Short mmCIF file of all heavy atoms in Angstrom, two decimals:
data_model
loop_
_atom_site.label_atom_id
_atom_site.label_comp_id
_atom_site.label_asym_id
_atom_site.label_seq_id
_atom_site.Cartn_x
_atom_site.Cartn_y
_atom_site.Cartn_z
N GLN U 42 83.10 -32.92 136.82
CA GLN U 42 82.19 -32.00 137.51
C GLN U 42 81.75 -30.99 136.45
O GLN U 42 82.44 -30.03 136.15
CB GLN U 42 82.92 -31.26 138.64
CG GLN U 42 83.31 -32.16 139.79
CD GLN U 42 82.09 -32.69 140.53
OE1 GLN U 42 81.16 -31.94 140.79
NE2 GLN U 42 82.10 -33.97 140.86
N ASN U 56 89.94 -28.41 140.50
CA ASN U 56 90.60 -27.51 141.46
C ASN U 56 91.73 -28.26 142.15
O ASN U 56 92.20 -29.28 141.65
CB ASN U 56 89.57 -26.93 142.43
CG ASN U 56 88.88 -28.02 143.26
OD1 ASN U 56 89.42 -29.12 143.43
ND2 ASN U 56 87.70 -27.69 143.78
N THR U 58 91.74 -30.07 144.81
CA THR U 58 91.43 -31.36 145.43
C THR U 58 90.63 -32.28 144.53
O THR U 58 90.42 -33.44 144.85
CB THR U 58 90.63 -31.15 146.73
OG1 THR U 58 89.48 -30.35 146.42
CG2 THR U 58 91.47 -30.45 147.77
N TYR U 59 90.15 -31.76 143.41
CA TYR U 59 89.30 -32.61 142.56
C TYR U 59 89.57 -32.38 141.08
O TYR U 59 89.66 -31.25 140.62
CB TYR U 59 87.82 -32.35 142.84
CG TYR U 59 86.96 -33.43 142.22
CD1 TYR U 59 86.60 -34.55 142.97
CD2 TYR U 59 86.59 -33.38 140.88
CE1 TYR U 59 85.87 -35.58 142.39
CE2 TYR U 59 85.86 -34.40 140.29
CZ TYR U 59 85.51 -35.51 141.06
OH TYR U 59 84.81 -36.54 140.49
C1 NAG N 28 86.96 -28.65 144.59
O1 NAG N 28 86.00 -29.34 143.82
C2 NAG N 28 85.27 -30.30 144.54
C3 NAG N 28 84.40 -31.07 143.56
O2 NAG N 28 83.61 -30.21 142.81
C4 NAG N 28 84.47 -29.58 145.64
O3 NAG N 28 83.78 -30.54 146.40
C5 NAG N 28 85.42 -28.80 146.52
O4 NAG N 28 84.69 -28.05 147.45
C6 NAG N 28 86.29 -27.88 145.69
N1 NAG N 28 87.30 -27.28 146.55
C7 NAG N 28 87.49 -25.98 146.60
C8 NAG N 28 88.56 -25.51 147.52
O5 NAG N 28 86.83 -25.22 145.93
#
Side-chain angles (χ1 to χ4, degrees):
Q42 292 293 317
N56 61 23
T58 54
Y59 194 93

